[in-house]
Structure formats: structure tokens, C-alpha cells
């Protein structure tokens, strides 16, 4: 099963401070890994010198002519994975928060045929992550987790985690349709509706050291209201289908 072709989808927006360090760690891991791993950086219309860095260091990437947001950037990666016949696609942030050494934990359930889609989590028992996010964000994550559980009867603890992996069925589904505004929590409703087997696994994550998060304290309340409504609407539409 280790001959499965794996693609790391690395969305990056204005990550010039840290993207080279992320790629250096990924390259070092790929060299020692038994897995067949490629990666693709999605430069999401960055306004800093990220594109120049990617070009000068000959890093494989796609440059989006304008900022599409995390949903559009990740879907671009899924489209690439589909067109090039990858078996597993892994979402891996370009800001340094995801631990590449946790990759085997993330993809092993898919390799063993136990899951179609996996979520790297800081909050399950086998997670070795010291970084759990701020107290306010953890409260928001718990609220969204309860909302998804209420609408789907399935519990995902780390619903905003962007460290995720999917098999060919998921690649096919997400290349055709992927939520644009709140992709992580909202996408679960689409997966559950298609009977995709989702498994949450423990991984290590790090605190962001460069760049700026797309969700700050000022936006947090609006984000929670919007994403909650989005989940509820998606759940209602799926029931009508």
C-alpha cells in the first residue's frame, strides 16, 4: 500500500516569511519516507514576494491570479490531484502549523481501508500536540463540533483542523464541489451526505510563528454566526435531497 501516490496540497497566502522553511521540512521528510509523496504549493494571489521565492527556489506551485480564499485554493489542489491520478490528497497548511512527521498517523486509516477521509486532531486522546489554540478558539470549536454532531449524529472534535486527507472518492467529490467560505466545518456535511467514512486521528500541531491568521478576534463572533448558519442550511438542504 505504500506505493499509493500522495499529494500534499499546500495553500499559501502571503507566507513569504515561512514558506521556504515549511518546504524544507517537507523535502527532508519526503527523502526519508517510504511513501511516494509529491507536493504542490497553491499561491493564492499573494501580494508579498511569495511568488518570487517559489520561482527562484524552483518549488512546484500554481499561481492563482487573484485571491480565492482557502476554499478556492484547496479545491485547486484537489483538481490537480484528480487530473494527475493521485490516490490520496493531503491538505497541509503553508504557515508551519502542521507537523509533517504526523503524516503517517493521518493517512494510515486510509491506507488500511478503514476510512475514506481523515482529520488531524489536537483534541483526541492519541494526539501528542502541546499546542491547542487559545481558550476562545477552543470554545468556538466545541460549539461548532456540537452543532455538527446535532445535525449529523457524527462527532468531530477538531472541526476547524486544516490537516486532512482524502482518498480517490474524496478527491473526486472535492474537485467538483468544495465549500468556499468555511471549508473545514461545512465540508463535513457534504461528506456525511455521501456516506464518506470520516475518522479523526491524533496529530501534532504547532503555533503559527509567521504570517497572520485569516481569523482574528474582531472577526471571531461574525465567523461563528456565519459558519453556524452555513452548517444548518447545508444540513437542511442535504435532508431535502
Amino acid at each position: 500500500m505504500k506505493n499509493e501516490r500522495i499529494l500534499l496540497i499546500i495553500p499559501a497566502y502571503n507566507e513569504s516569511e515561512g514558506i521556504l522553511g515549511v518546504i524544507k521540512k517537507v523535502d527532508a521528510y519526503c527523502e526519508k519516507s517510504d511513501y511516494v509523496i509529491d507536493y504542490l504549493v497553491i499561491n493564492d494571489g499573494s501580494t508579498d514576494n511569495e511568488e518570487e521565492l517559489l520561482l527562484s527556489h524552483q518549488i512546484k506551485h500554481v499561481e492563482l491570479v487573484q485571491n480565492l480564499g482557502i476554499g478556492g485554493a484547496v479545491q485547486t489542489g484537489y483538481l490537480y490531484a484528480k487530473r494527475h491520478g493521485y490516490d490520496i490528497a493531503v491538505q497541509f497548511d503553508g504557515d508551519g502549523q502542521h507537523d509533517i512527521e504526523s503524516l503517517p498517523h493521518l493517512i494510515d486509516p486510509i491506507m488500511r481501508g478503514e476510512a475514506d477521509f481523515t482529520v488531524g486532531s489536537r483534541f483526541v486522546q492519541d494526539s501528542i500536540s502541546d499546542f491547542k489554540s487559545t481558550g476562545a478558539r477552543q470554545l468556538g470549536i466545541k460549539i461548532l463540533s456540537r452543532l455538527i454532531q446535532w445535525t449529523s449524529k457524527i462527532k468531530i472534535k477538531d472541526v476547524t483542523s486544516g490537516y486532512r486527507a482524502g482518498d480517490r472518492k474524496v478527491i473526486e467529490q472535492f474537485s467538483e464541489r468544495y465549500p468556499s467560505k468555511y471549508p473545514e466545518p461545512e465540508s463535513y456535511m457534504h461528506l456525511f451526505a455521501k456516506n464518506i467514512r470520516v475518522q479523526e486521528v491524533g496529530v501534532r500541531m504547532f503555533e503559527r510563528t509567521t504570517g497572520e491568521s485569516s481569523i482574528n478576534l474582531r472577526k471571531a463572533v461574525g465567523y461563528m454566526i456565519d459558519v453556524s448558519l452555513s452548517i444548518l442550511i447545508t444540513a437542511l438542504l442535504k435532508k431535502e435531497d
Side-chain angles (χ1 to χ4, degrees), residues 13-19 48 94-97 208-214:
Y13 175 66
N14 288 347
E15 296 290 355
S16 59
E17 286 185 71
I19 190 63
D48 61 2
D95 58 14
Q97 292 192 75
R208 172 193 282 269
T209 57
T210 62
E212 182 179 343
S213 173
S214 60

Side-chain angles (χ1 to χ4, degrees), residues 100-114:
I100 189 63
E101 299 289 340
S102 293
L103 184 63
H105 299 286
L106 189 68
I107 64 175
D108 277 355
I110 299 175
M111 292 282 198
R112 294 193 300 266
E114 298 172 359

